[in-house]
Amino acid sequence: MNDEHGFEPEMANPRAERVKEVARLATRSGRSKRGAFLAEGPQAVREALRSHDAAVSAGHQGIVQEVFATPDAIHRHPDLTTGRGRIHWRSVTPEVLAAMADTVTPQGILAVCGIPETTLDAVFGAAPRLVAVLCRVQDPGNAGTILRAADAAGADAIVLTEGSVDIYNPKAVRSTVGSVFHLPIVTGVAFQQVVEAAAAAGSQLLAADGYGAVDLDALQDESAARRGGAQPSTGGDIGHQSGTAVVPGETPRLEDATAWLFGNEAQGLDERELAAAGHRVAVPLYGVAESLNVGTAATVCLYASARAQRRRA
């Protein structure tokens, strides 16, 4: 018999097979086998439930399959437990939740969520204005930061190429702070497929490259000049280090549909990835730092495009 919140009787055995099944979702093989991942903590579960409710309201299948919570968490977060039909709820002891969770000190609640099925064709077939492409980005924290920045900048989708981190691993999910539920995400894609899909959709490919010849500040200045009705400069420096002159029609426009390429933490973008991009764009450094973390650079680039595109609209 369920309690007043709709939860089934409390699970108290941390060594039960059901507990082990949930804990396996912290591993890549476990997620792949079941097609599901863990969302831990009240904020992640809240965003998962919002996504679930929106999908159900639109006539689609919801993302949340199960929720496990301690009595204390149920008491502290009543908004998460009311009016939630079509989801399996279970009350658990703190020991059981600790055995299920990936974190050392779990926050009392976690959800098992189905991995959404999104394709590259669906993403670019929707004529996106802004897409972040992670090329062999391997750190969960960096991947999560880029996804969160893309969400905040109003990007349309995230694409992770082959060799990138599994964005649904618990650490990456936590680092998105719920943004993993807000955007279409395509994973494990061959880079050449990204190139072809972007070209078919009319999206320019811009490579974020610290040694790029195109300066992001100059692109923003050019975009502002176009908004103001001024003619683009033909003599200013757009080069990050080389001083390449601005030539109308040859430099990228931030307001145009764009897929940004962000590379591996240690190696950056490789020659094939750089060659596929229409332009290599550098974020200018005004201090003495040698470079920017890929998550920080991605945030700056995505916001530059988002601002230009919103101003144009």
Side-chain angles (χ1 to χ4, degrees):
M1 185 178 194
N2 293 0
D3 66 14
E4 61 178 318
H5 298 284
F7 280 74
E8 293 186 2
E10 189 174 64
M11 294 175 62
N13 181 6
R15 292 180 292 279
E17 183 57 34
R18 185 72 193 91
V19 176
K20 294 177 182 177
E21 288 176 3
V22 175
R24 290 189 190 106
L25 296 179
T27 68
R28 189 163 196 157
S29 61
R31 291 188 294 276
S32 177
K33 183 177 181 179
R34 185 169 170 183
F37 67 101
L38 294 176
E40 300 182 34
Q43 177 61 22
V45 172
R46 183 173 288 108
E47 295 306 315
L49 290 170
R50 285 175 178 167
S51 176
H52 176 93
D53 291 346
V56 171
S57 296
H60 305 302
Q61 183 175 354
I63 187 175
V64 180
Q65 299 174 357
E66 304 172 284
V67 178
F68 300 90
T70 64
D72 181 61
I74 295 170
H75 176 74
R76 285 187 288 111
H77 304 287
D79 61 307
L80 301 182
T81 62
T82 56
R84 305 288 186 180
R86 300 168 65 177
I87 298 175
H88 181 197
W89 300 86
R90 198 69 188 263
S91 176
V92 299
T93 64
E95 292 76 18
V96 166
L97 193 81
M100 290 178 169
D102 177 71
T103 52
V104 177
T105 55
Q107 300 177 59
I109 188 168
L110 63 80
V112 174
C113 305
I115 296 175
E117 296 182 3
T118 307
T119 67
L120 196 66
D121 288 343
V123 164
F124 282 99
R129 297 296 302 167
L130 184 58
V131 175
V133 182
L134 282 63
C135 301
R136 300 169 295 104
V137 173
Q138 297 177 344
D139 180 77
N142 285 334
T145 295
I146 297 172
L147 196 157
R148 187 180 181 189
D151 180 19
D156 298 291
I158 299 287
V159 177
L160 293 93
T161 68
E162 295 172 331
S164 294
V165 67
D166 180 1
I167 194 65
Y168 295 106
N169 87 46
K171 183 176 180 181
V173 171
R174 287 195 298 274
S175 68
T176 72
V177 197
S179 288
V180 70
F181 300 107
H182 299 165
L183 291 171
I185 302 172
V186 185
T187 64
V189 181
F191 179 71
Q192 186 57 34
Q193 291 181 298
V194 178
V195 175
E196 294 170 1
S203 292
Q204 63 182 346
L205 283 180
L206 297 183
D209 176 21
Y211 298 96
V214 180
D215 185 292
L216 185 63
D217 271 6
L219 293 186
Q220 293 184 93
D221 289 344
E222 292 293 311
S223 177
R226 283 188 292 271
R227 289 197 304 272
Q231 291 296 318
S233 168
T234 57
D237 281 351
I238 197 169
H240 176 56
Q241 294 180 341
S242 61
T244 305
V246 175
V247 180
E250 292 188 6
T251 55
R253 293 161 47 101
L254 290 176
E255 56 265 43
D256 291 345
T258 302
W260 276 100
L261 306 180
F262 305 112
N264 175 269
E265 292 86 348
Q267 303 164 351
L269 294 164
D270 64 25
E271 287 304 316
R272 179 176 62 113
E273 292 157 350
L274 289 170
H279 298 274
R280 305 179 186 187
V281 182
V283 176
L285 303 177
Y286 302 116
V288 295
E290 180 183 359
S291 63
L292 290 176
N293 168 278
V294 64
T296 303
T299 301
V300 174
C301 293
L302 290 168
Y303 262 89
S305 285
R307 183 172 184 270
Q309 291 175 1
R310 290 175 67 85
R311 291 296 179 85
R312 180 186 185 184

